[in-house]
Amino acid sequence: MAETALLATRRGFLALAAGTAVAATLPVAALAKSTPPQSLTLKGVGQVLVESRVLTIVSIDQSSRDVVVKTDNGDQFAYRIAPIVGSLAGYKPGEKVTVYIAPGAVTKLQKVDSGQKGLISQVQLDISATGPLPENFWGTSITMNVVLVDVNTDHKTVTFEGHDKLLRIIPAATPAVWNDIAQIQPGDLATITWIEAMAFIPKT
């Protein structure tokens, strides 16, 4: 339960401080020495908290840059690792990595009448979409089919479980997106797209 509730216990858009350094490509050794910030700023969203979890590498696809990882309880999923991380040759199955995630905002949501939950795409964003990010972080836009857990009309947020089994509570990016969210109910199946920042750093 601790893994699942990791993001649910904190509102990703209420943070205390912002990171300002522009991300740079670093080798694995340099990444390991960096200290990620506790919060950062995403363009159009504002300050968001940075959450972290330690995972074990299961497999690495050097071509697609998809890295399958697993939690301590055996849940497996894949992250698409941005080129900013550099070569993945230094990572090996069985090694521990720390993944840092800063949930941003929902940019699109549409109710669907049928289908299955699951990841549809992960697309890297450039800084024109996210604004400058701290060292080692990159922006990503994720689309998947989810079953909504909650819709909070007071805070204009939606709660759902991501492909990595983390529960996200994040706001709509625009009033138009919120209007779409407000039309659906918890338990509905929807195709949702959201942005977030993340970093993938070897655990030392």
Side-chain angles (χ1 to χ4, degrees), residues 29-48:
L31 289 172
K33 296 178 181 179
S34 301
T35 302
Q38 295 182 339
S39 65
L40 54 78
T41 298
L42 282 175
K43 181 179 178 180
V45 181
Q47 297 174 342
V48 297

Side-chain angles (χ1 to χ4, degrees), residues 50-68:
V50 176
E51 306 286 352
S52 66
R53 65 199 307 208
V54 177
L55 303 166
T56 302
I57 295 176
V58 175
S59 63
I60 303 169
D61 186 322
Q62 299 286 349
S63 177
S64 68
R65 298 185 65 84
D66 286 344
V67 177
V68 177

Side-chain angles (χ1 to χ4, degrees), residues 6 24 49 51 62 67-68 75 99 101-102 111 118 135-136 175-176 178-179 184 189 200 204:
L6 184 59
L49 290 176
E51 306 286 352
Q62 299 286 349
V67 177
V68 177
D75 289 330
V99 174
I101 295 176
K111 181 180 178 181
E135 187 176 68
N136 304 331
W178 171 248
N179 288 338
I184 60 179
L189 180 68
F200 187 84
T204 56

